[in-house]
Amino acid sequence: MPVSTAPSMLPVKNKSTVLLVGFEDQDNLGIRYLASSLREAGHSAFIVKFQDDPSPIIESIEQHLPGIVGFSLIFQYYTERFGMLIRALRTAGVNAHFTIGGHYASFEPAQLFEFIPELDSIIRFEGEETLVELADRIACNEDWSDIRGMACIDNGSLLINAARQGRKNLDELPWPVREDIDYSTEDFPTASMIGGRGCPWVCSFCSIITFYEGNGTRGRRLRSPALIVDEVEYLRDRGVRIILWQDDDFLAGGKAGVRWAHAVAEECIRRGLNKDLRWKISCRSDEVKAESLAPLVEAGLTHVYLGVEAGDPESLRHLNKVLQPESHFLAAEVLKQLNLSFDFGFMLMEPWSTFDTIRNNLKFLEEFAGDGYAPAGYCRMLPYVGTGVEKKLLAEDRLEKKDCYADYHFLDPRLDRFYEWQLGAFKHRNHGPNGTLNLLRLLNFESHLDFAERPFSSSFCNKVQAVTSLSNHFMLATLSEALAHFEESGLSNKTVSDEYLLALSSEHNRQDEHLRNDILRILAKMPVSYKRKFVVM
């Protein structure tokens, strides 16, 4: 039976020391809730940011001597990087218990053990209680192989234990660990918050609903508004100025969900937090109504992320969005009337795309974002594990798996070439922290912030919108011309030497470079700390 591999490292009898490793672009609330649950149970917990170089992580292990090292893996597309890190730690002589959790780990434990055999265990679905029990068992050098919500290799065979019922009352969870975060390094410090877990929708590309179904908590669980605002107030007192709500859909749950959101807003207003704090939320287009958002705006809402995903009716059907394109246009009008900035997710291509659906999506984007009020970006749908899309592609015998990766080819091979071409053509615009799209998104967000010491400026807003409009037009026009060329020319092989495509890419890059210079001139007038965080990386 599996037992602890490092009981001698424990600094306190019958208590574990746990080091948690995960990505942290914004606050990683997942590992921060794990850390706080461990500490509340009497264990020691520390957090270190994931990075490809194992040296800083090894230094943290040498400093804290953990009996458990936990890794936060959300999507399978990061598996190779985690595997390389874990192998490097073992090679360096780290003999602590290695456990891993997250969406992909929860759905594919067998494949993950095969790819990363250095792992000792996998924690499936919500992990607070499971990790605490693992820490309890390892602290006492007891067998842990029967813990609910866990998978392991036992005597050479895969053992997947019954799922643990998720906690229904989120108010019982301690606040996420934050004392290691220095909020004084920015002019407008940001912090992530979560008001609830789960989502009631069944979009075919998303694994959120199946993840929470896995531990019996389908739907949405909400924290109490007063207790949420206690945490918001604490963050304000720490110097935070911007709250990034990480709820998958802040307004989900129909009328009850809207009432809950209004209760959070009203409590913030009652305590005067709306004077100092600004908000960002995510929601669906059909939830954007003036009467629903107005109280949130009064409480500090300035930015909304919309899950638009597609503008073609057939693509929306494949995504199971249960929406029509008109909902997106109505939402945009409401957001503009309320003077809120917004950004949106968009999948230009999905496994059943045709030239017609892509052309319709491009026409939609031109109408939806051509005015530059929001930057236009897009991606291709990926068949994440645990999603309806993955199941459908499997049923059609179209899901292609290699190691821990999953992919597909389009039904028309010309679209494979079109997708490959645009990856290179828009590399500098659409990708990376210093890419044009990311800079436009940051400017878009910044332009609608309204603080007493830095009030809203309509002239600044107009400059941002003008440069965003040009960037959107250049990209969409280039995409439309390229799409027509692929359709008419019948290109289904390599496109590297196609002179027309080379000319299109070259002209777009020339225009994009001019726009980036305009963007950098605008950025030069922004606070120094803001530029340091988002530009010099």
Side-chain angles (χ1 to χ4, degrees):
M1 290 292 187
V3 295
S4 169
T5 57
S8 62
M9 292 185 180
L10 299 175
V12 180
K13 185 177 180 181
N14 294 338
K15 296 299 176 185
S16 288
T17 297
V18 183
L19 185 72
L20 298 170
V21 182
F23 284 104
E24 193 161 44
D25 182 21
Q26 298 169 355
D27 303 345
N28 186 328
L29 294 180
I31 58 176
R32 292 186 176 280
Y33 270 110
L34 291 171
S36 62
S37 295
L38 286 163
R39 291 183 182 182
E40 184 180 60
H43 301 290
S44 297
F46 303 91
I47 295 169
V48 61
K49 185 181 297 186
F50 176 93
Q51 45 199 312
D52 295 320
D53 178 8
S55 300
I57 299 174
I58 291 173
E59 290 176 6
S60 294
I61 291 172
E62 291 173 346
Q63 176 185 357
H64 300 297
L65 299 177
I68 301 172
V69 179
F71 302 88
S72 173
L73 172 65
I74 300 175
F75 298 120
Q76 64 259 44
Y77 300 93
Y78 293 135
T79 304
E80 185 174 359
R81 294 176 64 184
F82 273 84
M84 292 174 64
L85 171 63
I86 288 169
R87 281 187 285 276
L89 295 179
R90 288 297 193 210
T91 300
V94 179
N95 66 344
H97 179 105
F98 283 179
T99 192
I100 197 166
H103 282 222
Y104 176 63
S106 298
F107 291 120
E108 293 284 359
Q111 193 172 46
L112 191 54
F113 274 125
E114 183 179 345
F115 193 75
I116 313 179
E118 295 83 2
L119 290 169
D120 294 297
S121 66
I122 290 174
I123 292 178
R124 303 177 68 228
F125 309 110
E126 289 180 306
E128 286 92 356
E129 293 179 38
T130 304
L131 182 57
V132 166
E133 185 172 353
L134 176 64
D136 290 341
R137 301 276 191 99
I138 286 183
C140 297
N141 199 24
E142 295 177 350
D143 171 48
W144 44 263
S145 63
D146 63 337
I147 295 176
R148 294 180 69 88
M150 180 172 286
C152 65
I153 302 296
D154 189 11
N155 294 323
S157 299
L158 175 64
L159 177 64
I160 301 178
N161 297 331
R164 183 186 295 268
Q165 171 65 45
R167 189 187 297 262
K168 294 184 177 180
N169 184 0
L170 297 181
D171 289 337
E172 295 172 353
L173 290 172
W175 291 353
V177 167
R178 298 184 190 266
E179 81 277 358
D180 60 313
I181 302 175
D182 183 1
Y183 292 112
S184 66
T185 60
E186 304 170 36
D187 288 327
F188 299 116
T190 64
S192 294
M193 275 281 301
I194 196 161
R197 293 181 180 180
C199 179
W201 303 103
V202 289
C203 301
S204 65
F205 57 89
C206 182
S207 63
I208 290 169
I209 188 168
T210 47
F211 180 83
Y212 289 112
E213 280 179 342
N215 64 347
T217 56
R218 180 172 181 167
R220 192 171 181 219
R221 291 162 291 161
L222 297 171
R223 299 169 62 196
S224 299
L227 297 180
I228 291 171
V229 179
D230 285 344
E231 188 176 352
V232 172
E233 190 168 20
Y234 158 78
L235 290 170
R236 191 279 310 269
D237 293 344
R238 288 277 308 275
V240 169
R241 305 300 303 278
I242 299 171
I243 299 292
L244 305 176
W245 293 97
Q246 300 297 340
D247 298 60
D248 300 297
D249 184 344
F250 195 78
L251 295 173
K255 293 180 180 179
V258 173
R259 285 196 298 270
W260 168 85
H262 287 180
V264 174
E266 289 163 4
E267 184 65 14
C268 284
I269 294 168
R270 188 186 70 79
R271 301 191 196 186
L273 301 177
N274 57 323
K275 299 175 183 177
D276 303 316
L277 293 170
R278 298 295 175 262
W279 292 11
K280 170 254 177 186
I281 67 168
S282 300
C283 67
R284 284 168 55 98
S285 293
D286 55 353
E287 295 165 341
V288 175
K289 297 177 174 58
E291 61 271 22
S292 297
L293 292 182
L296 277 62
V297 173
E298 186 180 355
L301 178 65
T302 63
H303 186 85
V304 175
Y305 178 86
L306 284 179
V308 172
E309 314 309 354
D312 172 74
E314 186 67 10
S315 290
L316 286 168
R317 185 180 69 81
H318 286 305
L319 301 175
N320 202 31
K321 286 293 292 184
V322 197
L323 282 175
Q324 292 300 315
E326 291 74 20
S327 297
H328 303 318
F329 291 114
L330 290 172
E333 286 305 310
V334 171
L335 294 173
K336 292 173 184 177
Q337 290 168 11
L338 294 173
N339 196 33
L340 297 173
S341 62
F342 75 91
D343 191 13
F344 60 96
F346 199 82
M347 298 181 190
L348 182 66
M349 305 175 75
E350 35 84 8
W352 301 274
S353 287
T354 65
F355 280 97
D356 284 340
T357 63
I358 297 172
R359 193 161 24 247
N360 289 340
N361 275 332
L362 291 173
K363 289 178 181 177
F364 168 86
L365 283 175
E366 183 62 49
E367 186 175 353
F368 187 72
D371 65 355
Y373 196 88
Y378 66 91
C379 66
R380 175 188 66 135
M381 181 202 287
L382 294 174
Y384 289 122
V385 66
T387 64
V389 165
E390 182 206 31
K391 293 178 182 178
K392 187 175 180 181
L393 286 172
L394 275 171
E396 295 178 1
D397 196 26
R398 291 179 57 204
L399 190 70
E400 301 171 6
K401 285 193 172 184
K402 182 180 179 182
D403 295 328
C404 293
Y405 299 94
D407 208 341
Y408 59 89
H409 284 289
F410 295 102
L411 295 169
D412 188 328
R414 292 174 294 176
L415 294 181
D416 288 310
R417 304 289 83 76
F418 171 69
Y419 174 72
E420 292 166 3
W421 170 82
Q422 61 81 30
L423 282 177
F426 301 105
K427 178 180 179 181
H428 297 298
R429 182 194 188 270
N430 291 349
H431 304 287
N434 290 327
T436 306
L437 177 60
N438 192 49
L439 296 179
L440 287 173
R441 284 172 170 161
L442 294 167
L443 278 174
N444 176 262
F445 180 84
E446 168 79 5
S447 66
H448 285 74
L449 289 177
D450 183 16
F451 288 109
E453 69 272 32
R454 212 289 315 277
F456 171 81
S457 167
S458 58
S459 62
F460 178 52
C461 235
N462 291 338
K463 289 178 183 177
V464 173
Q465 186 170 347
V467 72
T468 303
S469 177
L470 288 172
S471 180
N472 291 351
H473 279 303
F474 290 152
M475 180 192 71
L476 295 172
T478 304
L479 276 170
S480 296
E481 290 184 43
L483 184 70
H485 181 67
F486 275 91
E487 185 175 27
E488 294 165 5
S489 65
L491 283 173
S492 58
N493 296 315
K494 292 184 178 180
T495 61
V496 175
S497 60
D498 187 278
E499 292 184 2
Y500 184 77
L501 294 176
L502 289 172
L504 276 180
S505 300
S506 177
E507 178 60 18
H508 177 270
N509 288 336
R510 185 186 66 81
Q511 293 169 339
D512 185 61
E513 185 176 354
H514 285 305
L515 286 175
R516 279 180 59 81
N517 289 333
D518 290 338
I519 293 170
L520 292 173
R521 279 192 286 271
I522 297 173
L523 284 167
K525 300 179 181 179
M526 294 170 63
V528 172
S529 64
Y530 193 90
K531 289 188 293 182
R532 183 171 63 247
K533 180 176 181 181
F534 294 115
V535 182
V536 184
M537 301 188 70

